[in-house]
């Protein structure tokens, strides 16, 4: 604990009045919260004050450092140790594709991923659709596996940025997620602690992202890159579209199947393109290839040769999962009933409320309403249409996969989606641009 002593109430009050907190004050607060000397309700009040009054660059740096220093910090030799971090979205399963591609190309990928947050799905929840996959590896095993396997995927551990683990769960239930300083500190404390030497950020923007506006996504990208620079780590950020699910599948088993299909070369174009681009950036900034163009060629080769698929199989095996799922999808939890959601009229799809789509999955049981909820990996949606597509009356927009006892929820989901989640027009609509901006 810091030798200086502050008063919890006074620090909350100070931030509430919009005053700046000093480095020792922020570090004292975070350390004492992590050590269980500050109650959840006081941390919640502080988070809301930070959210509403904002934090400048210095305060953001102090918060990041405090959260990073709350736990162990790994370090790996070699500039080819690279991770990617997405700010989260709906149907974002790119990690399962890009990590094996990058790993097959010679990048070492130490992934410490999160669970679902708000309306967004979590990588760790998704991989758990594969029976036996152990995301709770001991840090020593994590370090060892990175050296021997080159690719390892775990959930947040008690040792890595424990302050973030606690604060993340509070933010999830106190509407304090979509805030640049808080997201910066959350992402960077984990990424810096896990020992990656370079980072590729996928900053989502649109209705299904925490940063709904591109200008905020850009500000977040700059804040993350700035923090990486402060720690002398290479990084690059892509601002990418989250106005519709990435790929077609939303929901845990369905997203794993779509990822495997993509690794087999049968993926939807948007998911395949984004995964290849992100993987190529990892290959490039990890120093495996000298130019981005060469890195992209290599990424394509890793995918088309089947090497990336074999890397994914190896990852599953190495972490105790049932690798037979690669060839037999019925080994994952299944929801047997399919109900289609049909277009109410003819027209073009102008917009989805992608956040609502994430929330509808939660309503179906494919996400958590409270911290302790169990996820139903089997349920999900498969979309048949994208923004810009024309559609006939009564053509399916998406299919809901559910259990037979869920008719009431299915009716609710259909009604809500058609009322609030879909905008159609009689005019032609341009498809959304997937990669909006690249920031270095
Ligand atoms: N992802 C994180 O790790 N933290 C956030 O705060 C938001 C997205």
């Amino acid at each position: 604990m810091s030798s200086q002593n502050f008063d919890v109430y006074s620090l909350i009050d100070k931030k509430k009045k919009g005053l700046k907190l000093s480095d020792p004050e922020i570090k004292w607060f975070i350390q004492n919260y992590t050590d269980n000397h500050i109650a959840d309700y006081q941390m919640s009040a502080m988070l809301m004050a930070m959210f509403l009054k904002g934090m400048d660059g210095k305060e953001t740096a102090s918060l990041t450092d405090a959260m990073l220093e709350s736990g162990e910090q790994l370090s790996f030799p070699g500039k080819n140790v690279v991770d990617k971090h997405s700010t989260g979205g709906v149907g974002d399963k790119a990690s399962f594709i890009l990590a094996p591609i990058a790993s097959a190309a010679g990048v070492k990928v130490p992934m410490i991923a999160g669970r679902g947050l708000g309306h967004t799905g979590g990588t760790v929840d998704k991989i758990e659709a594969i029976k036996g996959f152990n995301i709770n590896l001991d840090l020593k095993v994590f370090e060892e596996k990175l050296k021997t396997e080159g690719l390892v995927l775990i959930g947040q551990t008690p040792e890595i940025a424990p302050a973030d683990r606690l604060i993340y769960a509070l933010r999830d239930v106190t509407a304090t997620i979509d805030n640049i300083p808080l997201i910066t500190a959350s992402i960077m404390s984990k990424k810096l602690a896990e020992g990656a030497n370079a980072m590729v950020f996928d900053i989502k923007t649109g209705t299904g992202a925490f940063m709904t506006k591109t200008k905020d996504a850009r500000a977040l990208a700059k804040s993350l890159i700035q923090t990486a620079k402060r720690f002398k780590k290479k990084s690059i950020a892509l601002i990418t579209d989250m106005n519709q699910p990435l790929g077609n599948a939303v929901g845990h088993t369905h997203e794993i199947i779509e990822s495997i299909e993509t690794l087999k070369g049968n993926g939807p174009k948007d998911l395949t393109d984004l995964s290849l681009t992100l993987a190529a950036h990892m290959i490039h900034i990890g120093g495996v290839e000298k130019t981005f163009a060469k890195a992209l060629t290599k990424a394509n080769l890793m995918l088309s040769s089947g090497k990336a698929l074999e890397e994914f199989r190896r990852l599953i095996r190495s972490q105790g999962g049932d690798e037979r799922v690669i060839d037999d999808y019925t080994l994952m939890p299944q929801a047997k009933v399919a109900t289609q959601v049909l277009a109410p009229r003819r027209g073009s799809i102008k917009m989805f409320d992608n956040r609502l789509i994430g929330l509808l999955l939660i309503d179906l049981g494919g996400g958590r309403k409270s911290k302790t909820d169990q996820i139903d990996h089997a349920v999900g949606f498969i979309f048949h249409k994208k923004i810009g597509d024309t559609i006939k009356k009564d053509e399916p927009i998406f299919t809901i996969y559910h259990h037979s006892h869920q008719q009431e929820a299915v009716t609710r989901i259909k009604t809500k989606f058609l009322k609030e989640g879909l905008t159609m027009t009689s005019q032609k609509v341009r498809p959304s641009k997937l990669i909006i901006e690249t920031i270095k």
Side-chain angles (χ1 to χ4, degrees), residues 85-88 114 117 120 156 164 168 171 176-179 182-188 190-191 210 220:
H85 189 90
S86 154
T87 53
L117 183 67
T120 69
Q156 262 187 284
D164 177 59
Y168 196 92
R171 287 170 58 218
T176 48
I177 297 171
D178 47 339
N179 175 267
L182 296 179
I183 297 180
T184 301
S186 167
I187 292 178
M188 293 309 289
K190 288 183 294 241
K191 291 294 117 180
F210 291 125
L220 175 60

Side-chain angles (χ1 to χ4, degrees), residues 41-343:
Y41 53 83
Q42 289 175 307
M43 188 71 218
S44 301
M46 177 58 101
L47 287 168
M48 189 55 85
M50 288 172 162
F51 184 102
L52 293 174
K53 296 296 173 179
M55 306 249 280
D56 68 7
K58 251 173 111 179
E59 289 175 294
T60 306
S62 298
L63 183 64
T64 308
D65 294 353
M67 285 165 60
L68 170 65
E69 288 158 15
S70 70
E72 279 184 41
Q73 294 172 51
L74 305 180
S75 74
F76 296 106
K79 61 181 181 181
N80 66 335
V81 182
V82 187
D83 194 8
K84 174 275 342 186
H85 189 90
S86 154
T87 53
V90 179
D92 182 5
K93 71 278 292 174
S95 289
F96 305 121
I97 303 148
L98 62 90
I101 293 175
S103 172
V107 174
K108 287 197 182 290
V109 188
M111 273 208 170
I112 300 187
R115 295 203 177 271
L117 183 67
H119 65 281
T120 69
T123 298
V124 161
D125 293 324
K126 291 173 195 180
I127 199 77
E128 283 181 338
I130 301 176
K131 199 161 156 240
F133 195 102
N134 183 6
I135 55 95
N136 293 313
L137 299 182
D138 185 87
L139 264 199
K140 283 270 153 302
V141 179
F142 175 79
E143 285 182 280
E144 206 40 54
K145 277 205 188 295
L146 187 73
K147 283 183 206 142
T148 56
E149 309 289 328
L151 171 58
V152 53
L153 167 59
I154 61 169
Q156 262 187 284
T157 73
E159 300 96 339
I160 292 280
D164 177 59
R165 188 181 161 102
L166 297 166
I167 292 171
Y168 196 92
L170 270 191
R171 287 170 58 218
D172 193 21
V173 290
T174 56
T176 48
I177 297 171
D178 47 339
N179 175 267
I180 291 171
L182 296 179
I183 297 180
T184 301
S186 167
I187 292 178
M188 293 309 289
S189 59
K190 288 183 294 241
K191 291 294 117 180
L192 292 164
E194 77 182 17
N197 294 322
M199 299 153 203
V200 175
F201 300 114
D202 181 7
I203 317 288
K204 303 291 187 193
T205 183
T207 54
F210 291 125
M211 298 289 117
T212 54
K213 296 194 189 91
T214 303
K215 80 169 186 6
D216 294 333
R218 196 177 294 125
L220 175 60
K222 287 186 178 156
S223 174
L224 294 172
I225 290 174
Q226 189 59 36
T227 310
K229 272 199 188 125
R230 200 160 59 80
F231 285 86
K232 306 202 171 9
K233 309 268 184 193
K234 272 194 176 177
S235 70
I236 187 164
L238 271 62
I239 298 183
T240 69
D241 181 65
M242 198 19 85
N243 280 308
Q244 57 191 337
L246 181 62
N248 303 325
V250 182
H252 301 73
T253 290
H254 295 279
E255 293 193 40
I256 295 293
I257 294 173
E258 188 168 75
S259 303
I260 297 171
E261 281 299 311
T262 305
L263 287 167
K264 289 177 179 170
N266 310 320
K269 184 168 170 15
D270 60 345
L271 177 62
T272 307
D273 288 354
L274 184 62
S275 304
L276 282 166
T277 306
L278 290 167
H281 281 297
M282 292 170 77
I283 295 166
H284 182 217
I285 67 170
V288 175
E289 290 292 350
K290 287 219 159 55
T291 65
F292 175 73
K294 281 189 181 164
L296 189 57
T297 305
K298 186 148 205 168
N300 269 294
L301 187 64
M302 294 304 110
L303 185 64
S304 60
S305 63
K307 286 199 172 133
L309 178 67
E310 284 321 301
E311 250 342 82
F312 190 56
R313 191 191 297 275
R314 215 158 59 80
L315 170 72
I316 298 173
R317 189 187 313 140
S318 135
Q319 295 194 217
D322 185 351
E323 63 183 278
R324 293 173 306 159
V325 297
I326 301 261
D327 308 300
D328 183 357
Y329 301 146
T330 64
L331 293 169
M332 283 183 279
Q334 305 284 309
K336 298 266 161 55
V337 191
T339 302
Q340 291 184 331
V341 180
L342 308 176

